């Protein structure tokens, strides 16, 4: 099948051709005709399958020709994270290049509300939002949702992980019942299935790949380490053995991210951090630097990195075994995209046995253990955290727990993987001479 067989507008066909897409991906080939026929869609698809274009392209054609009234957007795309929302808006700009009359607004937290309010007042055809900020604006009377004709819920399972279901329920209750709903999720746990049943009417269900599968383009390895303190040395050895063009390094806890990033920089590898405690402009700057190859490594949390589409990433390193096995699939899926090859390494502690067992169960195979990575680094003695360190962590946790509205990204700190603390000390043999 070709794009021209899908009955799309000239403008879309031209934009898609200029981007260089040769043919629709399987989810596009199935979802686009269903959306054109005004059907609800239940898409079981991970990022990397082309699902964003599967809903944005037909939406652009469906909305073309109409005009939004002030503060009454005509379509709504809900995304769990700010970065994903921004990525969806970039897609709209690309595919909508020849539909410049359509207006779009991005409504996410961490940025000034004033400009968002001004945009809403001008009238918005496509509103892309994270649930928290959307509800804030609604509660302030800055937005009305009574004219929404198309609702997209993207990454529904992630919304659930991030505690967004009550917000989502509230938002959907404010929408007109006569609308088209497109619901995407990488996995379909019970509560998500219930939501889909509630929101969708006779949907076309599209499953593009089993949610638990890892791409054959990614070579995966485990690297055993005997203690958290040995991870620094192991990582550097691995990094030096590998031909790393650019990499994500995933940590389970936000508090580790800055320390890991500092450590990596101390080894003269350019590096930036990305996590939910950072201001939005810092997050955007870190991501832009990585995309522009100004830094080689991005140390990040699951929430910050979920679904990010960065072309040609050569490596993923899991500093920690993810607590949630589905996160493993998402993490390593950042590499090996669009037919490219990628490599993924996971440092494993003896205490990770259970989490690793769950991952093996989910992906239906055992990941090879890398025996030759030099994964038996000299281990520095493990100093117990100092009283000051303990107090610092305690104060930070207290501060986070007392926020008015917990940003979704805060939730990744709730995952305690019993890995022990990442200390400030770098094993002496790794320190700069
Ligand atoms: P997504 O699953 O929406 O995150 O898309 C993953 C990547 O696939 C993005 O880089 C898109 O630009 C790319 N993509 C989307 N549709 C196509 C297509 N039909 N052919 C080639 N690449 C595509």
């Amino acid at each position: 099948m070709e794009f021209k067989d899908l009955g799309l507008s000239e403008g879309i066909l031209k934009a898609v051709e200029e981007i260089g897409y040769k043919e629709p991906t399987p989810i596009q080939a199935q979802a686009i005709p269903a959306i054109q026929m005004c059907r609800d869609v239940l898409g079981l698809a991970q990022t990397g399958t082309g699902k964003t274009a599967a809903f944005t392209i037909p939406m652009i054609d469906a909305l073309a020709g109409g005009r939004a009234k002030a503060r009454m957007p005509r379509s709504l795309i809900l995304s769990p994270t700010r970065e994903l929302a921004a990525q969806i808006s970039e897609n709209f700009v690309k595919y909508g290049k020849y539909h410049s009359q359509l207006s779009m607004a991005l409504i996410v937290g961490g940025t000034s509300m004033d400009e968002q309010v001004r945009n809403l007042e001008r009238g918005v055809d496509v509103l892309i939002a994270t649930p928290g900020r959307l509800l804030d604006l609604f509660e302030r009377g800055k937005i009305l949702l009574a004219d929404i004709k198309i609702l997209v819920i993207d990454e529904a399972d992630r919304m659930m992980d991030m505690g967004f279901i009550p917000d989502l329920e509230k938002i959907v209750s404010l929408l007109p019942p006569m609308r088209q709903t497109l619901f995407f999720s990488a996995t379909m746990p019970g509560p998500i299935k219930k939501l889909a049943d509630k929101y969708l009417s006779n949907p076309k269900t599209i499953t593009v790949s089993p949610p638990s599968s890892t791409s054959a383009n990614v070579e995966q390895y485990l690297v055993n380490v005997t203690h958290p303190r040995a991870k620094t040395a192991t990582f550097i050895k691995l990094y030096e053995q590998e031909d790393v063009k650019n990499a994500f390094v995933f940590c389970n806890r936000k508090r580790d991210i800055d320390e890991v990033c500092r450590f990596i920089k101390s080894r003269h590898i350019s590096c930036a951090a990305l996590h939910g405690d950072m201001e939005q402009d810092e997050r955007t700057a870190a991501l832009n630097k990585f995309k522009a190859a100004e830094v080689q490594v991005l140390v990040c949390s699951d929430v910050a990195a979920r679904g990010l589409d960065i072309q040609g990433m050569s490596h993923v390193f899991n500093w920690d075994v993810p607590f949630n096995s589905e996160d493993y699939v998402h993490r390593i899926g950042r590499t090996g995209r669009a037919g490219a090859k990628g490599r993924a390494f996971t440092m494993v502690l003896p205490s990770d046995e259970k989490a690793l067992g769950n991952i093996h169960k989910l992906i239906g195979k055992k990941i090879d253990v890398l025996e030759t990575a030099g994964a038996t680094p000299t281990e520095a003695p493990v100093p117990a955290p100092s009283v000051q360190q303990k107090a610092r962590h305690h104060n930070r946790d207290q501060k986070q727990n007392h926020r008015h509205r917990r940003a979704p990204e805060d939730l990744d700190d709730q995952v305690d993987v019993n890995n022990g603390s990442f200390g400030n000390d770098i094993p002496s043999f790794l320190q700069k001479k």
Side-chain angles (χ1 to χ4, degrees):
M1 180 183 279
E2 294 182 40
F3 277 105
K4 68 174 170 44
D5 303 325
L6 288 171
L8 296 162
S9 65
E10 281 303 313
I12 291 280
L13 291 177
K14 208 164 152 200
V16 162
E17 192 185 339
E18 282 175 16
I19 297 165
Y21 296 168
K22 300 270 178 294
E23 57 189 28
T25 64
I27 191 162
Q28 291 161 7
Q30 294 180 71
I32 292 173
I35 297 170
Q36 287 167 328
M37 286 190 285
C38 298
R39 279 194 70 179
D40 284 357
V41 166
L42 174 60
L44 266 158
Q46 302 175 24
T47 50
T49 53
K51 74 175 161 67
T52 318
F55 63 80
T56 46
I57 285 177
M59 276 177 79
I60 291 169
D61 274 349
L63 295 168
R67 227 188 140 73
K69 299 184 202 97
R71 288 187 290 155
M72 294 186 80
R74 295 201 292 144
S75 66
L76 172 63
I77 300 173
L78 289 171
S79 154
T81 69
R82 299 161 188 180
E83 281 77 11
L84 263 183
Q87 204 164 279
I88 295 170
S89 78
E90 284 163 22
N91 276 290
F92 258 103
V93 172
K94 274 196 314 191
Y95 306 132
K97 183 174 172 191
Y98 297 103
H99 289 85
S100 53
Q101 77 286 2
L102 279 184
S103 57
M104 183 192 75
L106 190 59
I107 300 286
V108 296
T111 50
S112 146
M113 259 194 200
D114 296 345
E115 202 191 325
Q116 295 176 355
V117 170
R118 276 196 298 277
N119 283 340
L120 287 169
E121 273 163 7
R122 271 185 226 123
V124 168
D125 296 305
V126 180
L127 182 64
I128 304 165
T130 48
R133 175 58 65 95
L134 181 69
L135 278 179
D136 273 357
L137 284 166
F138 181 83
E139 279 155 16
R140 287 162 197 247
K142 303 292 183 197
I143 184 168
L144 292 165
L145 297 171
D147 202 26
I148 298 289
K149 295 181 174 60
I150 306 175
L151 166 70
V152 180
I153 299 171
D154 197 16
E155 307 244 347
D157 51 350
R158 194 59 177 183
M159 293 218 194
M160 183 181 74
D161 292 348
M162 291 165 65
F164 272 149
I165 297 303
D167 282 358
L168 183 62
E169 295 260 39
K170 169 107 203 270
I171 292 168
V172 177
S173 75
L174 301 168
L175 303 178
M178 287 298 287
R179 56 161 202 270
Q180 187 177 14
T181 305
L182 316 174
F183 189 105
F184 293 87
S185 193
T187 57
M188 195 50 66
I192 292 298
K193 169 97 183 48
K194 258 197 199 150
L195 270 191
D197 289 345
K198 189 164 148 192
Y199 295 158
L200 299 167
S201 160
N202 184 28
K204 162 117 179 130
T205 302
I206 302 166
T207 307
V208 284
S209 65
S212 55
S213 67
T214 51
S215 161
N217 288 338
V218 184
E219 282 185 46
Q220 309 165 54
Y221 298 101
L222 302 177
V223 184
N224 287 320
V225 288
T226 49
H227 194 279
R229 190 74 69 197
K231 288 185 178 180
T232 46
T234 305
F235 174 79
I236 290 299
K237 286 197 174 188
L238 266 175
Y239 197 92
E240 286 170 354
Q241 284 171 17
E242 288 290 306
D243 184 15
V244 179
K245 184 175 147 248
N246 51 5
F248 271 8
V249 175
F250 284 97
C251 296
N252 284 356
R253 294 179 301 185
K254 280 187 291 194
R255 71 169 72 121
D256 292 344
I257 290 174
D258 289 327
E259 292 189 40
V260 169
C261 186
R262 261 196 304 279
F263 164 73
I264 292 174
K265 279 184 189 162
S266 78
R267 306 309 295 159
H268 306 289
I269 300 165
S270 56
C271 181
L274 186 68
H275 59 76
D277 270 357
M278 293 162 63
E279 295 296 331
Q280 185 57 39
D281 53 351
E282 292 175 314
R283 285 163 66 160
T284 308
L287 197 57
N288 287 345
K289 271 189 188 167
F290 186 78
K291 283 183 177 168
E294 286 168 30
V295 294
Q296 204 176 8
V297 174
L298 199 65
V299 186
C300 47
S301 63
D302 288 294
V303 169
R306 169 84 172 213
L308 292 182
D309 178 37
I310 293 169
Q311 294 298 314
M313 178 141 38
S314 70
H315 285 72
V316 165
F317 295 94
N318 288 319
W319 195 271
D320 305 303
V321 174
F323 184 69
N324 174 349
S325 14
E326 276 140 19
D327 282 336
Y328 178 81
V329 178
H330 286 290
R331 287 181 182 190
I332 74 159
R334 299 307 100 215
T335 180
R337 292 169 83 79
K341 294 270 179 227
R343 285 163 77 77
F345 295 88
T346 302
M347 293 197 272
V348 182
L349 290 165
S351 57
D352 291 325
E353 196 185 341
K354 191 165 166 237
L356 190 61
N358 290 338
I359 291 171
H360 285 153
K361 224 186 276 166
L362 179 76
I363 66 173
K365 64 175 182 185
K366 282 205 156 188
I367 308 164
D368 289 340
V369 178
L370 195 67
E371 305 289 357
T372 54
T376 49
T378 311
E379 285 175 33
V382 189
S386 65
V387 176
Q388 290 92 332
Q389 273 176 329
K390 275 188 184 164
R392 251 199 337 263
H393 284 164
H394 177 75
N395 289 343
R396 192 164 36 198
D397 291 347
Q398 290 282 326
K399 222 167 87 190
Q400 280 171 2
N401 288 340
H402 282 92
R403 292 229 177 110
H404 293 307
R405 179 190 280 279
R406 280 164 66 83
E409 294 82 350
D410 291 338
L411 298 176
D412 60 354
D413 256 355
Q414 294 181 339
V415 177
D416 190 349
V417 288
N418 194 26
N419 273 356
S421 170
F422 178 86
N424 291 325
D425 311 58
I426 295 165
S428 56
F429 75 96
L430 279 175
Q431 286 178 3
K432 268 198 282 171
K433 299 274 171 334

